[in-house]
Amino acid sequence: MKRILAIILFVFVVLSVTGCSFKDYNSSYKNEDGYSSYIGNRKSGCKDMNSFGLVSNLEDEKSQSYYKKNSRVCGDYLITNYLDGICINRYLGHSKTINIPETLDSKPVIMLGNFISDEKYNGENQIYGPFAGIKDCRITIPSTVKYVTNDALWVFYDSDPGEFISKYRNDFASVKIDKDNLYYTCHDNIIYTKDMKTLLYINYNVFGRGQNIKVSDSVENFEPINPLPDSNYQITFGKNIKRIDADLGSYDRYENILIKCYKGSVAHKWAKQHGLYYYFY
C-alpha cells in the first residue's frame, strides 16, 4: 500500500514541477511512423547555415501523423521529440516576455518548429509558427537551440494571400539569443551565424518602421529568411560582402530603399540589378 501511495505521490510531484504530460515519450519515438519524415527538414535551411530557416516539418501526412501522436503539453509549451532533443511547436502561455527554457521534459530544447491549427482553409488545417497569436512579444532563444523553421520568427499570414487571420498574427518587440548559443548570435534584433559571417534574420517589427539597417563589416553572406520591407530605410553594406540572397517580395516598387555600398562591390551590382537607389562610401 505504501509503495502504491509513493508512486502516486511521485507522479503528482512530476506533473506539478514539470507541467508535462506523464507518459514515456522519450524511449521509442524514433521508431514511430512518420518520425523520419518529421526530421527530414533538418538541413533544408539557408545555404550558409542549413539548420536556420527550415521548411516546416509538418508538410506531409506522415509528419503530421507523428506530430499528432507525439505532441504533448509541457508547461507553457506544446512540444514533440526531435532528433535527440525537443521541438517547441507552440507557445501556450500569455506572457509577452518569453524566455525559452533550455530543457523541457528532461531533454534539451533544440528546435523552434510549427503547429497545426484547428482552422481549415480549402479543407486543410493551417500550419503556423510557434509564437503565432502573440503580438509584441520579447523572446530569448536559449543556448541549446540549433534548428529554426522559416515560420518561427516571421509574421504569419493565411495561405490565401487575400485573406488574413488576425488571431495568428505575431510581432516581435525584440529577439535575443543566449550568448552561450554555439550556432547563432544576435545584435540589435539581427541574427547572425556565430562567426558573424552570415546574416540570417532581421526583426522587421523594428527595422520595418523606417530604422536603417547597418550590416556588420564581418558579414560575407546576406540571406535574411524574411522578405525585405518595401520602403523608407537604408541598408549599409560593408566591404566584405560576397553574396546577397534576399527576398524582395512581391512589391512592384522599392523607390524608398537606399543602399550604401562600395563601388563595384557585390552590393552595388545587386542594387543596380534590382533597380534600387544606391550611393557610395
Side-chain angles (χ1 to χ4, degrees), residues 28-38 61-67 69:
S28 59
Y29 64 91
K30 292 183 179 181
N31 298 320
E32 290 183 10
D33 290 341
Y35 173 75
S36 59
S37 296
Y38 193 67
E61 291 184 2
K62 289 183 179 180
S63 299
Q64 292 183 16
S65 176
Y66 170 81
Y67 163 86
K69 289 184 294 185

PDB file of all heavy atoms in Angstrom, residues 28-38 61-67 69:
ATOM      1  N   SER A  28      10.963   5.300 -27.327  1.00  0.00           N
ATOM      2  CA  SER A  28      10.909   4.644 -28.640  1.00  0.00           C
ATOM      3  C   SER A  28      10.373   5.555 -29.741  1.00  0.00           C
ATOM      4  O   SER A  28       9.948   5.070 -30.790  1.00  0.00           O
ATOM      5  CB  SER A  28      10.036   3.387 -28.552  1.00  0.00           C
ATOM      6  OG  SER A  28       8.726   3.713 -28.143  1.00  0.00           O
ATOM      7  N   TYR A  29      10.403   6.862 -29.537  1.00  0.00           N
ATOM      8  CA  TYR A  29       9.789   7.764 -30.522  1.00  0.00           C
ATOM      9  C   TYR A  29      10.454   7.698 -31.893  1.00  0.00           C
ATOM     10  O   TYR A  29       9.819   7.945 -32.920  1.00  0.00           O
ATOM     11  CB  TYR A  29       9.788   9.209 -30.005  1.00  0.00           C
ATOM     12  CG  TYR A  29      11.148   9.823 -29.799  1.00  0.00           C
ATOM     13  CD1 TYR A  29      11.781  10.544 -30.806  1.00  0.00           C
ATOM     14  CD2 TYR A  29      11.808   9.701 -28.577  1.00  0.00           C
ATOM     15  CE1 TYR A  29      13.023  11.113 -30.623  1.00  0.00           C
ATOM     16  CE2 TYR A  29      13.056  10.273 -28.382  1.00  0.00           C
ATOM     17  CZ  TYR A  29      13.660  10.977 -29.393  1.00  0.00           C
ATOM     18  OH  TYR A  29      14.894  11.534 -29.196  1.00  0.00           O
ATOM     19  N   LYS A  30      11.734   7.374 -31.935  1.00  0.00           N
ATOM     20  CA  LYS A  30      12.434   7.327 -33.221  1.00  0.00           C
ATOM     21  C   LYS A  30      11.951   6.179 -34.107  1.00  0.00           C
ATOM     22  O   LYS A  30      12.250   6.149 -35.305  1.00  0.00           O
ATOM     23  CB  LYS A  30      13.945   7.230 -33.003  1.00  0.00           C
ATOM     24  CG  LYS A  30      14.545   8.487 -32.389  1.00  0.00           C
ATOM     25  CD  LYS A  30      16.044   8.391 -32.257  1.00  0.00           C
ATOM     26  CE  LYS A  30      16.621   9.666 -31.662  1.00  0.00           C
ATOM     27  NZ  LYS A  30      18.091   9.621 -31.527  1.00  0.00           N
ATOM     28  N   ASN A  31      11.223   5.245 -33.507  1.00  0.00           N
ATOM     29  CA  ASN A  31      10.689   4.117 -34.268  1.00  0.00           C
ATOM     30  C   ASN A  31       9.236   4.331 -34.683  1.00  0.00           C
ATOM     31  O   ASN A  31       8.654   3.482 -35.360  1.00  0.00           O
ATOM     32  CB  ASN A  31      10.779   2.831 -33.435  1.00  0.00           C
ATOM     33  CG  ASN A  31      12.217   2.462 -33.100  1.00  0.00           C
ATOM     34  OD1 ASN A  31      13.108   2.599 -33.944  1.00  0.00           O
ATOM     35  ND2 ASN A  31      12.452   2.003 -31.885  1.00  0.00           N
ATOM     36  N   GLU A  32       8.652   5.464 -34.300  1.00  0.00           N
ATOM     37  CA  GLU A  32       7.250   5.717 -34.618  1.00  0.00           C
ATOM     38  C   GLU A  32       7.076   6.061 -36.099  1.00  0.00           C
ATOM     39  O   GLU A  32       7.954   6.641 -36.730  1.00  0.00           O
ATOM     40  CB  GLU A  32       6.704   6.855 -33.759  1.00  0.00           C
ATOM     41  CG  GLU A  32       6.558   6.495 -32.290  1.00  0.00           C
ATOM     42  CD  GLU A  32       5.936   7.631 -31.489  1.00  0.00           C
ATOM     43  OE1 GLU A  32       5.453   8.597 -32.106  1.00  0.00           O
ATOM     44  OE2 GLU A  32       5.933   7.543 -30.248  1.00  0.00           O
ATOM     45  N   ASP A  33       5.914   5.708 -36.619  1.00  0.00           N
ATOM     46  CA  ASP A  33       5.596   6.030 -38.017  1.00  0.00           C
ATOM     47  C   ASP A  33       5.631   7.544 -38.223  1.00  0.00           C
ATOM     48  O   ASP A  33       5.092   8.304 -37.421  1.00  0.00           O
ATOM     49  CB  ASP A  33       4.201   5.505 -38.372  1.00  0.00           C
ATOM     50  CG  ASP A  33       4.151   3.991 -38.440  1.00  0.00           C
ATOM     51  OD1 ASP A  33       5.230   3.387 -38.570  1.00  0.00           O
ATOM     52  OD2 ASP A  33       3.042   3.426 -38.340  1.00  0.00           O
ATOM     53  N   GLY A  34       6.275   7.968 -39.277  1.00  0.00           N
ATOM     54  CA  GLY A  34       6.333   9.380 -39.616  1.00  0.00           C
ATOM     55  C   GLY A  34       7.503  10.132 -39.027  1.00  0.00           C
ATOM     56  O   GLY A  34       7.758  11.286 -39.401  1.00  0.00           O
ATOM     57  N   TYR A  35       8.270   9.490 -38.128  1.00  0.00           N
ATOM     58  CA  TYR A  35       9.374  10.200 -37.484  1.00  0.00           C
ATOM     59  C   TYR A  35      10.441  10.628 -38.492  1.00  0.00           C
ATOM     60  O   TYR A  35      10.923  11.772 -38.451  1.00  0.00           O
ATOM     61  CB  TYR A  35      10.018   9.322 -36.403  1.00  0.00           C
ATOM     62  CG  TYR A  35      11.267   9.939 -35.808  1.00  0.00           C
ATOM     63  CD1 TYR A  35      11.185  11.000 -34.917  1.00  0.00           C
ATOM     64  CD2 TYR A  35      12.541   9.477 -36.172  1.00  0.00           C
ATOM     65  CE1 TYR A  35      12.322  11.588 -34.388  1.00  0.00           C
ATOM     66  CE2 TYR A  35      13.675  10.053 -35.652  1.00  0.00           C
ATOM     67  CZ  TYR A  35      13.572  11.108 -34.761  1.00  0.00           C
ATOM     68  OH  TYR A  35      14.703  11.693 -34.254  1.00  0.00           O
ATOM     69  N   SER A  36      10.810   9.739 -39.397  1.00  0.00           N
ATOM     70  CA  SER A  36      11.857  10.082 -40.370  1.00  0.00           C
ATOM     71  C   SER A  36      11.421  11.247 -41.255  1.00  0.00           C
ATOM     72  O   SER A  36      12.236  12.096 -41.633  1.00  0.00           O
ATOM     73  CB  SER A  36      12.229   8.866 -41.215  1.00  0.00           C
ATOM     74  OG  SER A  36      11.094   8.370 -41.906  1.00  0.00           O
ATOM     75  N   SER A  37      10.130  11.317 -41.576  1.00  0.00           N
ATOM     76  CA  SER A  37       9.620  12.448 -42.351  1.00  0.00           C
ATOM     77  C   SER A  37       9.643  13.724 -41.516  1.00  0.00           C
ATOM     78  O   SER A  37       9.943  14.810 -42.026  1.00  0.00           O
ATOM     79  CB  SER A  37       8.188  12.171 -42.824  1.00  0.00           C
ATOM     80  OG  SER A  37       8.146  11.087 -43.715  1.00  0.00           O
ATOM     81  N   TYR A  38       9.341  13.581 -40.241  1.00  0.00           N
ATOM     82  CA  TYR A  38       9.267  14.724 -39.342  1.00  0.00           C
ATOM     83  C   TYR A  38      10.617  15.419 -39.185  1.00  0.00           C
ATOM     84  O   TYR A  38      10.684  16.643 -39.077  1.00  0.00           O
ATOM     85  CB  TYR A  38       8.759  14.266 -37.978  1.00  0.00           C
ATOM     86  CG  TYR A  38       8.329  15.376 -37.045  1.00  0.00           C
ATOM     87  CD1 TYR A  38       7.213  16.151 -37.332  1.00  0.00           C
ATOM     88  CD2 TYR A  38       9.035  15.637 -35.875  1.00  0.00           C
ATOM     89  CE1 TYR A  38       6.804  17.169 -36.479  1.00  0.00           C
ATOM     90  CE2 TYR A  38       8.632  16.650 -35.006  1.00  0.00           C
ATOM     91  CZ  TYR A  38       7.516  17.403 -35.314  1.00  0.00           C
ATOM     92  OH  TYR A  38       7.113  18.415 -34.470  1.00  0.00           O
ATOM     93  N   GLU A  61       1.590  14.115 -44.758  1.00  0.00           N
ATOM     94  CA  GLU A  61       0.715  13.362 -43.861  1.00  0.00           C
ATOM     95  C   GLU A  61       1.491  12.514 -42.860  1.00  0.00           C
ATOM     96  O   GLU A  61       1.074  12.362 -41.702  1.00  0.00           O
ATOM     97  CB  GLU A  61      -0.227  12.480 -44.679  1.00  0.00           C
ATOM     98  CG  GLU A  61      -1.267  13.262 -45.473  1.00  0.00           C
ATOM     99  CD  GLU A  61      -2.242  12.356 -46.202  1.00  0.00           C
ATOM    100  OE1 GLU A  61      -2.117  11.115 -46.059  1.00  0.00           O
ATOM    101  OE2 GLU A  61      -3.118  12.871 -46.907  1.00  0.00           O
ATOM    102  N   LYS A  62       2.617  11.960 -43.277  1.00  0.00           N
ATOM    103  CA  LYS A  62       3.404  11.133 -42.364  1.00  0.00           C
ATOM    104  C   LYS A  62       3.941  11.975 -41.202  1.00  0.00           C
ATOM    105  O   LYS A  62       3.890  11.565 -40.043  1.00  0.00           O
ATOM    106  CB  LYS A  62       4.556  10.466 -43.117  1.00  0.00           C
ATOM    107  CG  LYS A  62       4.123   9.363 -44.064  1.00  0.00           C
ATOM    108  CD  LYS A  62       5.325   8.695 -44.709  1.00  0.00           C
ATOM    109  CE  LYS A  62       4.898   7.573 -45.626  1.00  0.00           C
ATOM    110  NZ  LYS A  62       6.086   6.912 -46.260  1.00  0.00           N
ATOM    111  N   SER A  63       4.472  13.156 -41.534  1.00  0.00           N
ATOM    112  CA  SER A  63       4.996  14.046 -40.495  1.00  0.00           C
ATOM    113  C   SER A  63       3.879  14.477 -39.549  1.00  0.00           C
ATOM    114  O   SER A  63       4.064  14.516 -38.326  1.00  0.00           O
ATOM    115  CB  SER A  63       5.629  15.288 -41.129  1.00  0.00           C
ATOM    116  OG  SER A  63       6.711  14.940 -41.956  1.00  0.00           O
ATOM    117  N   GLN A  64       2.732  14.805 -40.108  1.00  0.00           N
ATOM    118  CA  GLN A  64       1.604  15.239 -39.297  1.00  0.00           C
ATOM    119  C   GLN A  64       1.102  14.116 -38.402  1.00  0.00           C
ATOM    120  O   GLN A  64       0.667  14.351 -37.275  1.00  0.00           O
ATOM    121  CB  GLN A  64       0.482  15.763 -40.193  1.00  0.00           C
ATOM    122  CG  GLN A  64       0.844  17.057 -40.898  1.00  0.00           C
ATOM    123  CD  GLN A  64      -0.291  17.615 -41.732  1.00  0.00           C
ATOM    124  OE1 GLN A  64      -1.435  17.219 -41.575  1.00  0.00           O
ATOM    125  NE2 GLN A  64       0.028  18.529 -42.634  1.00  0.00           N
ATOM    126  N   SER A  65       1.170  12.889 -38.892  1.00  0.00           N
ATOM    127  CA  SER A  65       0.759  11.736 -38.091  1.00  0.00           C
ATOM    128  C   SER A  65       1.665  11.584 -36.868  1.00  0.00           C
ATOM    129  O   SER A  65       1.179  11.361 -35.749  1.00  0.00           O
ATOM    130  CB  SER A  65       0.808  10.465 -38.942  1.00  0.00           C
ATOM    131  OG  SER A  65       0.512   9.319 -38.164  1.00  0.00           O
ATOM    132  N   TYR A  66       2.980  11.725 -37.081  1.00  0.00           N
ATOM    133  CA  TYR A  66       3.913  11.654 -35.948  1.00  0.00           C
ATOM    134  C   TYR A  66       3.634  12.780 -34.962  1.00  0.00           C
ATOM    135  O   TYR A  66       3.594  12.570 -33.742  1.00  0.00           O
ATOM    136  CB  TYR A  66       5.353  11.733 -36.450  1.00  0.00           C
ATOM    137  CG  TYR A  66       6.357  11.897 -35.330  1.00  0.00           C
ATOM    138  CD1 TYR A  66       6.781  10.794 -34.593  1.00  0.00           C
ATOM    139  CD2 TYR A  66       6.848  13.154 -34.997  1.00  0.00           C
ATOM    140  CE1 TYR A  66       7.678  10.942 -33.541  1.00  0.00           C
ATOM    141  CE2 TYR A  66       7.745  13.305 -33.947  1.00  0.00           C
ATOM    142  CZ  TYR A  66       8.148  12.201 -33.229  1.00  0.00           C
ATOM    143  OH  TYR A  66       9.032  12.354 -32.180  1.00  0.00           O
ATOM    144  N   TYR A  67       3.447  13.981 -35.477  1.00  0.00           N
ATOM    145  CA  TYR A  67       3.174  15.146 -34.636  1.00  0.00           C
ATOM    146  C   TYR A  67       1.946  14.920 -33.751  1.00  0.00           C
ATOM    147  O   TYR A  67       1.955  15.203 -32.554  1.00  0.00           O
ATOM    148  CB  TYR A  67       2.982  16.363 -35.533  1.00  0.00           C
ATOM    149  CG  TYR A  67       2.315  17.559 -34.898  1.00  0.00           C
ATOM    150  CD1 TYR A  67       3.050  18.506 -34.183  1.00  0.00           C
ATOM    151  CD2 TYR A  67       0.932  17.760 -35.027  1.00  0.00           C
ATOM    152  CE1 TYR A  67       2.432  19.605 -33.604  1.00  0.00           C
ATOM    153  CE2 TYR A  67       0.314  18.861 -34.474  1.00  0.00           C
ATOM    154  CZ  TYR A  67       1.060  19.782 -33.750  1.00  0.00           C
ATOM    155  OH  TYR A  67       0.448  20.867 -33.187  1.00  0.00           O
ATOM    156  N   LYS A  69       0.624  12.145 -32.743  1.00  0.00           N
ATOM    157  CA  LYS A  69       0.820  11.090 -31.739  1.00  0.00           C
ATOM    158  C   LYS A  69       1.809  11.502 -30.657  1.00  0.00           C
ATOM    159  O   LYS A  69       1.696  11.085 -29.506  1.00  0.00           O
ATOM    160  CB  LYS A  69       1.307   9.808 -32.421  1.00  0.00           C
ATOM    161  CG  LYS A  69       0.255   9.113 -33.262  1.00  0.00           C
ATOM    162  CD  LYS A  69       0.779   7.804 -33.821  1.00  0.00           C
ATOM    163  CE  LYS A  69       1.908   8.033 -34.817  1.00  0.00           C
ATOM    164  NZ  LYS A  69       2.350   6.766 -35.450  1.00  0.00           N
TER     165      LYS A  69
END
